[in-house]
Amino acid sequence: MKKQTKIEIWVGAFVLMSLMALAYLAFQVSNFSGWKDRPTYEVSALFDNIGGLKERAPLKLSGVVIGRITAIEIDPISFKARVHMKIDQAFNQLPVDSSVSILTSGLLGDQYVGLEPGGDEEVLQQGSEIEMTQSAMVLEELIGQFLVKFSESD
Amino acid sequence: MSGFQRFLQNMGQGFLEKVAAFGRGSLFIWSILAAIPSALFRFDLLLKQIYVTGVLSLPIILMAGLFVGMVLSLQGYNILVEFNAEEAVGSMTALSLLRELGPVVGGLLFAGRAGSALTAEIGLMRSTEQISALEMMAVDPLKFIYAPRFLAVIIVLPLLVLIFNALGVFGGYLVSVSWLGVDSGAFWSQMSSQVDWQEDVLNGVIKSVAFGVLIAVIALFQGVNAIPSSEGVSNATTRTVVHASLGILGLDFILTSIMFN
């Protein structure tokens, strides 16, 4: 075999190997196949306190991820936190009176938004606002309430 | 007073030398960049350099990737198991490999394996006057020698780092799932929920491209500037490895603070 041909074969194998590594990293290790291509619609909700919620946190329905938090900002009128979230178009039958609450996965886990479906006939659409929200549990506030109750009962 | 004058003179001399070296380096980089288009036309030269720098570096990269991944997950498991969070070992291994260890360790190994060889080759070419011979034959050494090597290093390092990362994750899987008995479903699902394609995988690739440019510039410049003697070439090779390694670590800090802040 000619030397140049041998080099070309080896380089071809090398490039193929690295492309396979890239595919492996994309599909097995990271979330590449996630929400990029699926059609989504965006809804928002006002929270008194979002605790440690971060952008890109998951939105879960009965524990199944159905969307992601896209942006968190302060509502200029009510001074509450407005959380924007994208929901997969496959879940477009969610009642408009659904409620969302900020929950924590495990004792030390990340915070996510849990959605509890309501019973209304109308469904959530692009741009609709979820009215019923429950804020994150802030440990300091809980301890504060507990201390107040504790001292009252004395 | 003369002692003080000599001190000032030494300092000025050193500074001027540094500035001159910096200027020569910049001019050299600029001329290589200008020669890259014509290097693309000599595809056979580029392929040869990809073979020499990339394919021949594969064994060390494969071994290192596997063992780094295995050690990371072993150490991570020992700590995480105390918090009953041993499933997180997958995402820990993958994140540390993709963000830092893959590009940095891959770059360090590559600088030692291929960068030093580049410097020695070019230094010897100069000391045996092969480069002058090429110039005599009206062959531009920039297009024929330097540009293909420069381009090859920049192409090869990201590919090697991708392979390093993939094997590292596989090594972590071997240790934690096959050996230590972490649940394989939890291992993969935690990993893919924590690792972001753009933030982690692509940023690691960008890092490795930057390290490739750094290694290529240092290795070629040291080779060209080597004193044409056996001692000079050996010193230049040492300098390539030291400067490239320190440069990678420093640049990594800068890139990390830009990317993950």
Side-chain angles (χ1 to χ4, degrees):
Chain A
M1 203 168 6
K2 247 180 74 189
K3 196 165 174 246
Q4 183 69 22
T5 327
K6 201 182 127 202
I7 288 178
E8 280 165 8
I9 289 172
W10 269 108
V11 170
F14 170 54
V15 171
L16 187 71
M17 218 170 134
S18 53
L19 286 181
M20 272 160 55
L22 182 67
Y24 176 72
L25 292 177
F27 294 112
Q28 178 82 312
V29 176
S30 76
N31 57 357
F32 181 62
S33 52
W35 303 88
K36 290 277 179 337
D37 305 318
R38 305 249 202 96
T40 55
Y41 62 100
E42 197 176 308
V43 300
S44 67
L46 280 178
F47 287 97
D48 289 325
N49 191 334
I50 60 163
L53 191 71
K54 302 251 167 48
E55 281 179 21
R56 290 191 20 82
L59 170 69
K60 293 185 182 179
L61 168 65
S62 315
V64 181
V65 179
I66 60 165
R68 295 216 173 265
I69 311 303
T70 53
I72 299 171
E73 61 191 14
I74 289 287
D75 188 60
I77 302 160
S78 61
F79 297 120
K80 288 179 177 179
R82 180 174 290 282
V83 173
H84 296 273
M85 42 208 145
K86 256 187 197 159
I87 305 179
D88 192 341
Q89 197 61 256
F91 308 96
N92 56 2
Q93 298 295 320
L94 300 169
V96 78
D97 61 342
S98 300
S99 66
V100 283
S101 40
I102 296 178
L103 306 166
T104 310
S105 50
L107 201 56
L108 299 166
D110 279 346
Q111 287 188 308
Y112 66 95
V113 177
L115 191 139
E116 194 69 33
D120 205 294
E121 301 257 302
E122 275 185 69
V123 294
L124 287 172
Q125 286 160 351
Q126 167 74 26
S128 33
E129 186 179 330
I130 300 175
E131 313 236 316
M132 282 193 281
T133 62
Q134 193 192 345
S135 293
M137 276 203 305
V138 179
L139 200 58
E140 289 84 342
E141 282 179 11
L142 279 183
I143 294 174
Q145 282 173 0
F146 173 75
L147 285 178
V148 168
K149 288 263 168 62
F150 195 67
S151 55
E152 273 173 356
S153 66
D154 263 355
Chain B
M1 196 60 200
S2 70
F4 181 65
Q5 263 175 349
R6 204 172 304 131
F7 168 74
L8 270 185
Q9 192 194 354
N10 283 342
M11 214 165 112
Q13 208 176 19
F15 180 71
L16 284 177
E17 269 169 17
K18 285 277 173 298
V19 170
F22 190 73
R24 277 203 308 277
S26 311
L27 279 177
F28 181 65
I29 295 170
W30 186 247
S31 52
I32 285 184
L33 286 181
I36 278 181
S38 46
L40 286 174
F41 284 106
R42 289 301 305 271
F43 202 62
D44 52 332
L45 290 177
L46 184 63
L47 271 184
K48 172 88 195 306
Q49 289 310 315
I50 290 182
Y51 177 79
V52 170
T53 51
V55 177
L56 296 185
S57 302
L58 267 180
I60 188 177
I61 291 286
L62 294 180
M63 290 293 282
L66 195 64
F67 280 108
V68 166
M70 279 160 62
V71 162
L72 260 182
S73 57
L74 193 55
Q75 288 282 10
Y77 178 86
N78 283 340
I79 292 183
L80 288 169
V81 78
E82 286 185 27
F83 304 101
N84 269 339
E86 63 266 30
E87 283 87 6
V89 72
S91 52
M92 193 211 79
T93 311
L95 281 180
S96 33
L97 273 171
L98 288 169
R99 288 185 175 180
E100 297 294 340
L101 286 172
V104 171
V105 176
L108 291 177
L109 290 173
F110 186 74
R113 166 68 183 73
S116 59
L118 267 184
T119 305
E121 188 189 12
I122 289 175
L124 276 175
M125 274 184 176
R126 273 179 59 86
S127 68
T128 51
E129 300 191 331
Q130 295 179 40
I131 302 231
S132 314
L134 278 180
E135 276 170 348
M136 291 286 265
M137 293 188 288
V139 177
D140 189 354
L142 273 173
K143 293 176 184 164
F144 193 72
I145 306 280
Y146 303 144
R149 284 167 174 73
F150 183 80
L151 211 54
V153 168
I154 296 172
I155 294 172
V156 155
L157 187 56
L159 302 183
L160 286 175
V161 166
L162 282 175
I163 296 175
F164 184 98
N165 286 339
L167 256 149
V169 170
F170 179 69
Y173 174 81
L174 278 186
V175 165
S176 46
V177 176
S178 310
W179 183 23
L180 297 169
V182 175
D183 181 53
S184 103
F187 180 88
W188 289 120
S189 69
Q190 279 242 3
M191 192 188 289
S192 58
S193 71
Q194 291 285 324
V195 179
D196 185 51
W197 157 251
Q198 218 165 355
E199 182 122 322
D200 300 317
V201 180
L202 283 189
N203 272 347
V205 173
I206 292 171
K207 263 187 181 178
S208 59
V209 173
F211 296 162
V213 174
L214 187 86
I215 294 171
V217 167
I218 291 178
L220 290 181
F221 186 63
Q222 293 292 354
V224 170
N225 267 13
I227 299 161
S229 66
S230 45
E231 201 191 351
V233 172
S234 103
N235 281 343
T237 312
T238 311
R239 269 202 304 275
T240 296
V241 176
V242 172
H243 289 188
S245 305
L246 291 179
I248 285 172
L249 295 172
L251 187 62
D252 180 57
F253 177 73
I254 297 172
L255 287 177
T256 299
S257 61
I258 295 172
M259 286 169 174
F260 302 107
N261 218 340

